[in-house]
Amino acid sequence: MKNHAYDFELEKIKRLVREKGARRVGLQLPEGLKTVATELAAEISGAAGTEAGAEEVEVLISGNSCFGACDVDERLERVVDLLFHFGHTFSFQKRKPVLKEKEKTPEKVVFVELRSSADLKPAVEKAVAAIKGEVVGLVATVQHAHALKEAEEVLARFGKKAEIRKSRNLKYEGQVLGCDFSAAVGSACEDCEEVLFVGTGSFHPTGLALYTGKRVVAADPFTEQVSVFEPEELRKRRWLEIARALDARSFGIILSLKSGQFNQEAAVSLRRRAAERGLKAFLLAFDEVSEERLLGFKTQVDAFVNTACPRLAEDFVHFEKPVLSAAEFEVVLGEREWEAIF
Ligand code: SF4
């Protein structure tokens, strides 16, 4: 794993494998890093040590999704001694295993954060030109959170003040998740005129703009690309989705079977409240929620309501049937004001 931009903590992994006497080890990687899975497996399979007669460790690589700490491959976990889950950190989402019998087995999952060694200063220097205000909320994904002080120093050189706050539920100062932007919301960032996000992709900055209502400047330390996300446009899209669902008479309530997303209580409660208002509603349980999987139900319901990953509904804006979040559905039920959903 030489010269890789992320720290795979291989020595720690091998030590844990030896200490726990693990004979069968699982690996779970986000999509973009599955390309190094076999290299990792080859390194780990020899981790049993050099004692004469020591057998190789069997490594099982998960081919399933790995979207967040919410998405531990529970089936793989059942058949291995240790499961290394890369790219995410254990968070407030105390896992509620969907597979009941697993509750009695010891925790086998080790989260490897994949800290980045990329220098974030050049990207932040470029981002300064796009920042209009004097005070910015400074946030990052777990891969870059350890280096946010360096970003703060760059901003200070250009006369900008950075607020780095900690979410009660996350591990590091300034850390955000796709479903936890508390480090940049409300009293955590009252003075911030904008948010500077350090990381890759549009998933986090889109959510930050949508849920904070602030302009977000995103700086990617790997490509040094800077992008801007405006909240109004994003919010308009969500309001249009609610408007599309106002006349719906039947709803499919989406329930995810991923351990960190399984929210049966919320799904059942939404179905009951819909029924009380004379609407038809059905609980639909999925391992993986995709357009393909929803297609089979599109002639049976007028709209869907998502209780899985709270960001999922945004992926379906072009789907022929509206897909709402639970809070958005409450607007349809008349339990919440439109303005109160963000
Ligand atoms: S944003 Fe969605 S995928 Fe990411 S951690 Fe939260 S629930 Fe999981």
Side-chain angles (χ1 to χ4, degrees), residues 57-171:
V57 174
E58 291 293 350
V59 181
L60 282 76
I61 302 166
S62 171
N64 296 325
S65 64
C66 180
F67 293 126
C70 60
D71 194 6
V72 169
D73 190 332
E74 282 193 11
R75 289 193 182 90
L76 181 58
E77 184 186 355
R78 290 167 91 197
V79 298
V80 295
D81 302 315
L82 277 178
L83 171 61
F84 292 97
H85 177 112
F86 292 84
H88 308 112
T89 183
F90 189 68
S91 67
F92 67 100
Q93 291 160 323
K94 268 254 170 247
R95 291 201 302 130
K96 291 180 278 182
V98 177
L99 304 171
K100 292 283 186 214
E101 68 272 28
K102 212 180 61 51
E103 284 169 7
K104 298 190 189 78
T105 65
E107 188 62 72
K108 297 175 185 173
V109 184
V110 179
F111 290 93
V112 183
E113 295 172 1
L114 293 184
R115 285 187 175 208
S116 163
S117 54
D119 181 4
L120 45 71
K121 292 192 287 297
V124 174
E125 277 165 13
K126 264 180 90 176
V128 170
I131 297 172
K132 294 177 179 171
E134 297 302 313
V135 186
V136 286
L138 186 53
V139 296
T141 50
V142 68
Q143 283 73 39
H144 304 287
H146 63 281
L148 280 182
K149 286 283 170 205
E150 292 170 32
E152 185 181 21
E153 282 162 22
V154 173
L155 290 170
R157 267 202 275 128
F158 289 89
K160 310 271 182 197
K161 183 173 182 305
E163 295 282 359
I164 308 178
R165 299 297 168 89
K166 187 177 171 306
S167 157
R168 192 158 49 91
N169 299 315
L170 302 180
K171 200 167 165 187

Side-chain angles (χ1 to χ4, degrees), residues 210 233-242 244 291 311-324 328:
L210 195 56
E233 197 47 43
L234 298 163
R235 288 187 166 183
K236 230 180 272 167
R237 267 198 255 162
R238 294 315 308 160
W239 284 321
L240 279 174
E241 282 298 281
I242 301 173
R244 285 214 294 151
E291 285 202 11
R311 302 292 309 288
L312 197 97
E314 294 156 41
D315 290 346
F316 288 86
V317 278
H318 301 299
F319 193 56
E320 46 199 291
K321 292 284 166 79
V323 181
L324 305 182
E328 290 163 353

Side-chain angles (χ1 to χ4, degrees), residues 234-261:
L234 298 163
R235 288 187 166 183
K236 230 180 272 167
R237 267 198 255 162
R238 294 315 308 160
W239 284 321
L240 279 174
E241 282 298 281
I242 301 173
R244 285 214 294 151
L246 286 177
D247 294 331
R249 305 307 303 158
S250 57
F251 293 85
I253 314 282
I254 297 169
L255 176 64
S256 166
L257 295 175
K258 292 181 191 301
S259 56
Q261 297 184 19

